[in-house]
Amino acid sequence: MTTTPAVRTVGLTKSYADLAVLRGVDLSVPAGSICALLGRNGAGKTTLVRILSTLLQPDGGTATVAGHDVVTAPGRVRERISLTGQFAAVDDVLTGRENLVLVARLRRVAAPTRVADDLLDRFSLTEAGRRRAATYSGGMRRRLDLAMSLVADPPVVFLDEPTTGLDPQGRHEVWAAVRDLARGGTTVLLTTQHLEEAERLADRVAVLHEGRVVVDGTLAEVQALAPPTTVEQVPRPPSLEDVFLGLTGAQESR
Amino acid sequence: MTTFVRATAALTGRSLTHVRRSPDTIITTALTPVAMMLLFVYVFGSAIQTPSPGRYVDYLLPGILLMTVASSIAYTAYRLFMDVDGGIFERFRSLPIARSALLWSHVLTSVVATSVALALVVLVAVVMGFRSGAGPLAWLAVAGILLLFTLALTWLALVPGLLATSADAVSGFAFPLIFLPFVSSAFVPTDGMPTPVRWFAEHQPVTPIVEAMRSLYAEQPAGSDLTLAVTWCLGLLLVAYLLAMRTYRRRFG
Ligand SMILES: Nc1ncnc2c1ncn2[C@@H]1O[C@H](COP(=O)(O)OP(=O)(O)O)[C@@H](O)[C@H]1O
Ligand SMILES: [Mg+2]
């Protein structure tokens, strides 16, 4: 049985004025996997995620999410996804619980307050749920942000640099939540600049460099791409960093 | 349709919570018009000759009310700007809801917040001696004019709310609107103004709107002023609505 990928882009292009950010992105994310999209600052990760979440129109190519085209059927895509942006998008004036109830209402779930309470519990925010989000620490805000994305269990979740700006404790909390999601069968596409994060979380890794996906495969496949010299010099399995630096360095010197 | 209504209701509830949790915005809204009212009634009022026989505060109130609306929609623009700037707008836009609900929730919130500020200003005016024998129908007509004017200015305020790059810029746009009543028959009759100023004063929307409300309060036929006032409000509303929708589409596709 062949299952259609949860996310699939073919030849996706996007420019801002004369800056060509995406120059033909081909990416395929199997349903139920965690895919880490790696790329340096400015590589175009946010641009790609915003196109996939129907917030931005591509210039060319196609992108389908959960079987629906982001340009021709954005409404259907929106019913099946959620986005946690690069910067926490919570309402500071509302309490954590009110934030969740609001999203639950907007997603038309049957019992908004129960869904909110369940999520508060799952993200260890029950106590804090009664306070305004403005009083939260960075880690708590991120957790609330993530919880808001999980209301109504969308099958595809986009996380744009979910751990940027978090302390180690906060990072581990987010990682645990992401693993939890994947266990439940949700497809997660997360972007990161940190190779360690990709190694720890992802089943699949895609490297975005100079407007294209230069590598796309399972963690093992990608690790196999490390330059052999590195393996000889360092007595440890090749890290993604070796792969990443090898690949992107090679591209730059062309 | 019902999904639009439900999303608008949820988002309006949220936005009204913002207003409820910062009541100072309502006070600030009413501050400028109330200060102007005090200044004109107690300082300049004695030197101003008005054609109507009533108290000066009766003459003044309609213009002050328009000023209140202009002052209030600065916060409408500010609230929208904060949503767009803070990223919560992106989240809402990625949800399966009618996108027009995002703008309509700010419009409805603006109407409620403005109404509260208007009530506050009328209350102060009554304390200062404002009286009207107008019946419920006339009051309803005044409320209708104010509602149309508020809607028109609110849709206009969404444009800077969507486009602004800083919080200062967003509230700055309201200043010319707040001071528009000065160059109209709101504070003094236009007769004594120099010709070009007088021409402007007599042809800008504030004058017929103010005159219509004044007539309604004074239990006099508002006639052509009322027609002109409603026409101006509807025209402005249409232009502002189209402008805001176009700005939204341009900026967010
Ligand atoms: N709205 C925009 N207008 C112009 N340039 C932009 C815009 N958004 C992003 N860029 C540019 O596009 C490039 C890719 O940005 P982005 O997708 O945010 O990268 P990443 O998320 O990988 O850091 C950067 O050089 C950035 O400056
Ligand atoms: Mg980014």
Side-chain angles (χ1 to χ4, degrees), chain A residues 41-42 44-47 86-87 160-161 191 193:
Chain A
N41 198 9
K45 303 182 296 294
T46 298
T47 302
Q86 190 165 351
F87 306 100
D160 195 5
E161 303 204 17
T191 76
Q193 298 187 43

Side-chain angles (χ1 to χ4, degrees), chain A residues 50 53-55 78-79 81 83-84 88-91 93-95 98 102 105-108 132 145 148-149, chain B residues 3 6-8 10-11 14 17-18 21 83 86-88 90-97 99 252-253:
Chain A
R50 294 186 73 231
S53 334
T54 77
L55 295 177
R78 272 177 232 136
E79 278 165 18
I81 61 150
L83 165 69
T84 303
V90 305
D91 188 326
V93 177
L94 302 186
T95 66
E98 286 168 338
L102 173 65
R105 290 229 162 90
L106 292 173
R107 283 204 179 263
R108 302 190 295 277
R132 291 194 195 184
D145 200 28
M148 285 164 76
S149 290
Chain B
T3 63
R6 287 172 72 171
T8 304
L11 289 170
R14 162 208 177 236
T17 305
H18 282 224
R21 290 189 183 158
D83 279 5
I88 194 107
E90 289 261 288
R91 156 156 272 142
F92 292 151
R93 287 205 309 126
S94 72
L95 289 173
I97 56 174
R99 291 185 169 190
F252 299 107

Side-chain angles (χ1 to χ4, degrees), chain B residues 119-252:
Chain B
L120 209 63
V121 171
V122 170
L123 210 69
V124 175
V126 167
V127 170
M128 287 169 68
F130 170 79
R131 293 293 179 273
S132 165
L137 217 61
W139 276 97
L140 214 61
V142 169
I145 294 174
L146 285 171
L147 177 66
L148 281 182
F149 188 71
T150 303
L151 283 172
L153 257 54
T154 293
W155 279 100
L156 194 65
L158 299 189
V159 175
L162 289 167
L163 291 179
T165 48
S166 77
D168 288 337
V170 78
S171 39
F173 99 100
F175 277 115
L177 295 176
I178 293 173
F179 289 99
L180 212 53
F182 284 116
V183 196
S184 78
S185 68
F187 291 89
V188 293
T190 55
D191 311 342
M193 298 177 181
T195 314
V197 180
R198 179 174 170 180
W199 187 89
F200 176 79
E202 287 176 355
H203 291 87
Q204 68 129 320
V206 170
T207 297
I209 298 173
V210 159
E211 295 293 339
M213 289 201 285
R214 222 174 250 156
S215 303
L216 286 166
Y217 276 140
E219 297 163 274
Q220 268 151 27
S224 64
D225 280 327
L226 188 57
T227 315
L228 200 56
V230 171
T231 309
W232 261 115
C233 287
L234 286 175
L236 285 173
L237 175 56
L238 184 70
V239 170
Y241 173 81
L242 293 175
L243 201 64
M245 290 307 255
R246 203 175 88 126
T247 307
Y248 182 86
R249 273 195 302 274
R250 283 255 170 116
R251 169 103 204 252
F252 299 107

Side-chain angles (χ1 to χ4, degrees), chain B residues 72-82 157-158 160-162 170 173:
Chain B
S72 170
I73 51 110
Y75 279 108
T76 303
Y78 176 75
R79 280 190 295 266
L80 179 57
F81 166 75
M82 292 306 279
L158 299 189
L162 289 167
V170 78
F173 99 100

Side-chain angles (χ1 to χ4, degrees), chain A residues 226-239 241-242:
Chain A
T229 49
T230 318
V231 185
E232 282 158 27
Q233 282 164 1
V234 189
R236 61 177 166 82
S239 77
E241 182 142 27
D242 302 327

